[in-house]
Amino acid sequence: MNTRWQRHDSPRGEVYDSRWECMAAAGQNIHGEADLVEALLAGSGGRSVLDAGCGTGRVAIELARRGFAVVGVDADDAMLGTARAKAPELNWITADLSDLSRVDDRLPDAVDLVLLAGNVMIFTEPDTEGRVLSNLSARLAPGGVLVAGFSIRADRLPLQRYDDLAAAAGLVAVDRWATWERTPFSGGDYAVSVHRAAR
């Protein structure tokens, strides 16, 4: 597997987690993603989530604590090693999101929500973003939603391109915010986008 993330010098594993631990110790809410997922699924009663690009499992573990059925997928074994150590009872799968065929039998047939937090979409390999969205869209139950939050950078994935790829993957735009806390989006360098399965 080869992704931009694996060539990036970001901290991994427990070192990566230490940032969130410091924020939590300072009284900051580190569960904005889980809060949004819970709010989005409240209306439909959905309970299943695929955390795509789950990293060390921070969001997946919190969602499981809240009673959701969660599967975490990531291409980075160092990150997943930390996730497995923290929550060995959860289903953690090593896979490249642009090619899920090798782990197809380990993934749920359909989920109510696919989550792409933590800049996943700008760390995929260039020109694989459409395959990633198609693979994940195919995992959504009818009416399911895909939520992605990522930094807007000129050298990565522009929002219009993301929307075009999402539409090609059978997804319809529903909402967009500037933060996981649903601050209205009016431009800027970060966006949280919600798309619904068209079928």
Side-chain angles (χ1 to χ4, degrees), residues 94-129:
T94 305
D96 184 334
L97 297 175
S98 69
D99 180 12
L100 296 174
S101 59
R102 286 175 285 186
V103 295
D104 189 63
D105 60 330
R106 297 181 57 203
L107 290 167
D109 291 333
V111 295
D112 300 307
L113 188 144
V114 169
L115 179 65
L116 289 153
N119 281 319
V120 173
M121 287 306 300
I122 66 169
F123 279 118
T124 61
E125 273 299 280
D127 302 320
T128 66
E129 299 95 344

Short mmCIF file of all heavy atoms in Angstrom, two decimals, residues 94-129:
data_model
loop_
_atom_site.label_atom_id
_atom_site.label_comp_id
_atom_site.label_asym_id
_atom_site.label_seq_id
_atom_site.Cartn_x
_atom_site.Cartn_y
_atom_site.Cartn_z
N THR A 94 -6.60 -3.51 8.17
CA THR A 94 -5.55 -2.84 7.40
C THR A 94 -5.89 -2.93 5.92
O THR A 94 -5.99 -4.03 5.37
CB THR A 94 -4.18 -3.50 7.65
OG1 THR A 94 -3.90 -3.52 9.05
CG2 THR A 94 -3.08 -2.75 6.92
N ALA A 95 -6.09 -1.78 5.29
CA ALA A 95 -6.44 -1.76 3.87
C ALA A 95 -6.27 -0.38 3.28
O ALA A 95 -6.39 0.64 3.99
CB ALA A 95 -7.88 -2.23 3.66
N ASP A 96 -5.99 -0.34 2.00
CA ASP A 96 -5.96 0.89 1.23
C ASP A 96 -7.39 1.19 0.78
O ASP A 96 -8.03 0.33 0.16
CB ASP A 96 -5.04 0.69 0.01
CG ASP A 96 -4.85 1.96 -0.80
OD1 ASP A 96 -5.73 2.84 -0.78
OD2 ASP A 96 -3.82 2.04 -1.50
N LEU A 97 -7.89 2.36 1.09
CA LEU A 97 -9.28 2.69 0.76
C LEU A 97 -9.55 2.71 -0.74
O LEU A 97 -10.70 2.60 -1.16
CB LEU A 97 -9.66 4.04 1.37
CG LEU A 97 -9.61 4.12 2.89
CD1 LEU A 97 -9.88 5.55 3.35
CD2 LEU A 97 -10.59 3.15 3.53
N SER A 98 -8.49 2.83 -1.54
CA SER A 98 -8.70 2.82 -2.99
C SER A 98 -8.81 1.41 -3.55
O SER A 98 -9.13 1.22 -4.72
CB SER A 98 -7.57 3.58 -3.71
OG SER A 98 -6.35 2.87 -3.60
N ASP A 99 -8.56 0.40 -2.71
CA ASP A 99 -8.68 -1.00 -3.13
C ASP A 99 -9.09 -1.85 -1.93
O ASP A 99 -8.25 -2.34 -1.19
CB ASP A 99 -7.36 -1.50 -3.72
CG ASP A 99 -7.45 -2.95 -4.17
OD1 ASP A 99 -8.58 -3.50 -4.24
OD2 ASP A 99 -6.40 -3.55 -4.45
N LEU A 100 -10.39 -1.99 -1.76
CA LEU A 100 -10.92 -2.76 -0.63
C LEU A 100 -11.22 -4.20 -0.99
O LEU A 100 -11.72 -4.96 -0.15
CB LEU A 100 -12.18 -2.09 -0.08
CG LEU A 100 -11.98 -0.69 0.53
CD1 LEU A 100 -13.33 -0.07 0.90
CD2 LEU A 100 -11.07 -0.75 1.73
N SER A 101 -10.91 -4.60 -2.22
CA SER A 101 -11.29 -5.94 -2.68
C SER A 101 -10.66 -7.05 -1.84
O SER A 101 -11.27 -8.09 -1.61
CB SER A 101 -10.91 -6.12 -4.15
OG SER A 101 -9.52 -5.94 -4.33
N ARG A 102 -9.44 -6.82 -1.33
CA ARG A 102 -8.75 -7.87 -0.57
C ARG A 102 -9.33 -8.08 0.83
O ARG A 102 -9.05 -9.07 1.48
CB ARG A 102 -7.26 -7.55 -0.48
CG ARG A 102 -6.54 -7.80 -1.81
CD ARG A 102 -5.12 -7.39 -1.73
NE ARG A 102 -5.06 -5.92 -1.77
CZ ARG A 102 -3.94 -5.22 -1.84
NH1 ARG A 102 -2.79 -5.81 -1.84
NH2 ARG A 102 -3.98 -3.91 -1.91
N VAL A 103 -10.12 -7.11 1.30
CA VAL A 103 -10.70 -7.23 2.63
C VAL A 103 -12.22 -7.23 2.57
O VAL A 103 -12.89 -7.05 3.59
CB VAL A 103 -10.19 -6.11 3.57
CG1 VAL A 103 -8.69 -6.24 3.79
CG2 VAL A 103 -10.55 -4.74 3.03
N ASP A 104 -12.77 -7.44 1.39
CA ASP A 104 -14.21 -7.37 1.17
C ASP A 104 -14.98 -8.25 2.15
O ASP A 104 -16.03 -7.84 2.67
CB ASP A 104 -14.53 -7.77 -0.27
CG ASP A 104 -15.97 -7.50 -0.62
OD1 ASP A 104 -16.37 -6.33 -0.59
OD2 ASP A 104 -16.70 -8.47 -0.90
N ASP A 105 -14.46 -9.44 2.43
CA ASP A 105 -15.17 -10.38 3.30
C ASP A 105 -15.11 -9.97 4.77
O ASP A 105 -15.84 -10.52 5.60
CB ASP A 105 -14.60 -11.79 3.13
CG ASP A 105 -13.12 -11.88 3.46
OD1 ASP A 105 -12.40 -10.87 3.29
OD2 ASP A 105 -12.67 -12.95 3.90
N ARG A 106 -14.28 -9.00 5.11
CA ARG A 106 -14.16 -8.55 6.50
C ARG A 106 -14.93 -7.26 6.77
O ARG A 106 -15.02 -6.81 7.90
CB ARG A 106 -12.68 -8.36 6.86
CG ARG A 106 -11.89 -9.66 6.77
CD ARG A 106 -10.45 -9.46 7.14
NE ARG A 106 -10.32 -8.89 8.48
CZ ARG A 106 -9.25 -8.21 8.90
NH1 ARG A 106 -8.24 -8.01 8.10
NH2 ARG A 106 -9.22 -7.72 10.12
N LEU A 107 -15.46 -6.67 5.71
CA LEU A 107 -16.19 -5.42 5.84
C LEU A 107 -17.69 -5.67 5.90
O LEU A 107 -18.18 -6.63 5.30
CB LEU A 107 -15.90 -4.51 4.64
CG LEU A 107 -14.49 -3.93 4.56
CD1 LEU A 107 -14.25 -3.33 3.18
CD2 LEU A 107 -14.29 -2.87 5.65
N PRO A 108 -18.44 -4.82 6.58
CA PRO A 108 -19.90 -4.98 6.58
C PRO A 108 -20.46 -4.73 5.18
O PRO A 108 -19.90 -3.93 4.42
CB PRO A 108 -20.38 -3.91 7.57
CG PRO A 108 -19.24 -2.98 7.77
CD PRO A 108 -17.99 -3.70 7.41
N ASP A 109 -21.53 -5.43 4.84
CA ASP A 109 -22.14 -5.23 3.52
C ASP A 109 -22.67 -3.82 3.35
O ASP A 109 -22.60 -3.24 2.27
CB ASP A 109 -23.29 -6.23 3.32
CG ASP A 109 -22.78 -7.66 3.18
OD1 ASP A 109 -21.63 -7.84 2.73
OD2 ASP A 109 -23.54 -8.58 3.53
N ALA A 110 -23.24 -3.26 4.42
CA ALA A 110 -23.81 -1.92 4.34
C ALA A 110 -23.75 -1.27 5.71
O ALA A 110 -23.97 -1.91 6.73
CB ALA A 110 -25.25 -1.99 3.85
N VAL A 111 -23.44 0.02 5.71
CA VAL A 111 -23.42 0.80 6.94
C VAL A 111 -24.28 2.05 6.75
O VAL A 111 -24.55 2.48 5.63
CB VAL A 111 -21.98 1.21 7.35
CG1 VAL A 111 -21.15 -0.02 7.70
CG2 VAL A 111 -21.31 2.04 6.27
N ASP A 112 -24.68 2.62 7.87
CA ASP A 112 -25.51 3.83 7.83
C ASP A 112 -24.70 5.08 7.57
O ASP A 112 -25.21 6.06 7.03
CB ASP A 112 -26.27 3.98 9.14
CG ASP A 112 -27.17 2.79 9.42
OD1 ASP A 112 -27.98 2.44 8.52
OD2 ASP A 112 -27.06 2.19 10.50
N LEU A 113 -23.42 5.05 7.94
CA LEU A 113 -22.58 6.23 7.76
C LEU A 113 -21.13 5.81 7.53
O LEU A 113 -20.63 4.92 8.22
CB LEU A 113 -22.68 7.14 8.98
CG LEU A 113 -22.02 8.51 8.90
CD1 LEU A 113 -22.84 9.56 9.65
CD2 LEU A 113 -20.58 8.48 9.47
N VAL A 114 -20.50 6.45 6.57
CA VAL A 114 -19.05 6.32 6.36
C VAL A 114 -18.42 7.63 6.79
O VAL A 114 -18.86 8.71 6.38
CB VAL A 114 -18.71 6.02 4.89
CG1 VAL A 114 -17.21 6.14 4.66
CG2 VAL A 114 -19.19 4.63 4.49
N LEU A 115 -17.40 7.52 7.63
CA LEU A 115 -16.72 8.70 8.15
C LEU A 115 -15.30 8.78 7.59
O LEU A 115 -14.55 7.81 7.66
CB LEU A 115 -16.67 8.64 9.68
CG LEU A 115 -15.96 9.79 10.38
CD1 LEU A 115 -16.71 11.10 10.16
CD2 LEU A 115 -15.80 9.49 11.87
N LEU A 116 -14.96 9.94 7.05
CA LEU A 116 -13.60 10.23 6.59
C LEU A 116 -13.12 11.47 7.34
O LEU A 116 -13.24 12.60 6.86
CB LEU A 116 -13.60 10.50 5.08
CG LEU A 116 -13.84 9.29 4.18
CD1 LEU A 116 -14.45 9.71 2.87
CD2 LEU A 116 -12.54 8.55 3.94
N ALA A 117 -12.63 11.27 8.55
CA ALA A 117 -12.14 12.39 9.37
C ALA A 117 -10.62 12.48 9.22
O ALA A 117 -10.00 11.66 8.55
CB ALA A 117 -12.55 12.16 10.82
N GLY A 118 -10.05 13.48 9.85
CA GLY A 118 -8.59 13.54 9.93
C GLY A 118 -7.87 13.72 8.61
O GLY A 118 -6.79 13.18 8.41
N ASN A 119 -8.46 14.47 7.68
CA ASN A 119 -7.79 14.78 6.40
C ASN A 119 -7.53 13.57 5.52
O ASN A 119 -6.63 13.59 4.69
CB ASN A 119 -6.46 15.52 6.65
CG ASN A 119 -6.66 16.98 6.97
OD1 ASN A 119 -7.49 17.65 6.37
ND2 ASN A 119 -5.91 17.48 7.93
N VAL A 120 -8.31 12.53 5.69
CA VAL A 120 -8.09 11.31 4.91
C VAL A 120 -8.06 11.59 3.41
O VAL A 120 -7.18 11.11 2.69
CB VAL A 120 -9.19 10.25 5.22
CG1 VAL A 120 -9.07 9.05 4.29
CG2 VAL A 120 -9.10 9.82 6.67
N MET A 121 -9.00 12.40 2.93
CA MET A 121 -9.10 12.60 1.49
C MET A 121 -7.90 13.32 0.88
O MET A 121 -7.62 13.15 -0.31
CB MET A 121 -10.39 13.36 1.13
CG MET A 121 -11.65 12.53 1.27
SD MET A 121 -11.63 10.95 0.36
CE MET A 121 -11.42 11.50 -1.33
N ILE A 122 -7.16 14.09 1.66
CA ILE A 122 -5.98 14.74 1.07
C ILE A 122 -4.70 13.94 1.31
O ILE A 122 -3.62 14.35 0.89
CB ILE A 122 -5.82 16.20 1.55
CG1 ILE A 122 -5.52 16.29 3.03
CG2 ILE A 122 -7.04 17.02 1.17
CD1 ILE A 122 -5.08 17.68 3.49
N PHE A 123 -4.83 12.78 1.98
CA PHE A 123 -3.68 11.91 2.15
C PHE A 123 -3.74 10.65 1.28
O PHE A 123 -2.85 9.81 1.34
CB PHE A 123 -3.50 11.53 3.62
CG PHE A 123 -2.81 12.59 4.43
CD1 PHE A 123 -3.46 13.21 5.48
CD2 PHE A 123 -1.52 12.98 4.13
CE1 PHE A 123 -2.84 14.20 6.23
CE2 PHE A 123 -0.88 13.97 4.88
CZ PHE A 123 -1.55 14.58 5.92
N THR A 124 -4.82 10.51 0.49
CA THR A 124 -4.85 9.40 -0.46
C THR A 124 -3.91 9.71 -1.61
O THR A 124 -3.51 10.87 -1.83
CB THR A 124 -6.28 9.19 -1.01
OG1 THR A 124 -6.69 10.37 -1.68
CG2 THR A 124 -7.26 8.86 0.10
N GLU A 125 -3.56 8.70 -2.37
CA GLU A 125 -2.70 8.92 -3.52
C GLU A 125 -3.40 9.81 -4.55
O GLU A 125 -4.62 9.69 -4.74
CB GLU A 125 -2.35 7.59 -4.21
CG GLU A 125 -1.14 6.90 -3.63
CD GLU A 125 0.12 7.74 -3.76
OE1 GLU A 125 0.72 7.78 -4.84
OE2 GLU A 125 0.50 8.37 -2.75
N PRO A 126 -2.67 10.69 -5.22
CA PRO A 126 -3.29 11.51 -6.25
C PRO A 126 -4.00 10.64 -7.29
O PRO A 126 -3.51 9.56 -7.65
CB PRO A 126 -2.09 12.24 -6.89
CG PRO A 126 -1.04 12.25 -5.82
CD PRO A 126 -1.24 10.97 -5.05
N ASP A 127 -5.15 11.09 -7.72
CA ASP A 127 -5.96 10.42 -8.75
C ASP A 127 -6.62 9.13 -8.28
O ASP A 127 -7.15 8.38 -9.10
CB ASP A 127 -5.14 10.16 -10.03
CG ASP A 127 -4.59 11.44 -10.62
OD1 ASP A 127 -5.32 12.47 -10.60
OD2 ASP A 127 -3.43 11.44 -11.07
N THR A 128 -6.58 8.84 -6.97
CA THR A 128 -7.33 7.69 -6.46
C THR A 128 -8.57 8.14 -5.68
O THR A 128 -9.35 7.30 -5.23
CB THR A 128 -6.47 6.80 -5.52
OG1 THR A 128 -6.15 7.55 -4.33
CG2 THR A 128 -5.20 6.33 -6.21
N GLU A 129 -8.75 9.44 -5.52
CA GLU A 129 -9.84 9.95 -4.70
C GLU A 129 -11.21 9.45 -5.19
O GLU A 129 -12.08 9.12 -4.38
CB GLU A 129 -9.83 11.48 -4.67
CG GLU A 129 -8.57 12.06 -4.08
CD GLU A 129 -7.52 12.43 -5.12
OE1 GLU A 129 -7.63 11.97 -6.28
OE2 GLU A 129 -6.59 13.18 -4.78
#
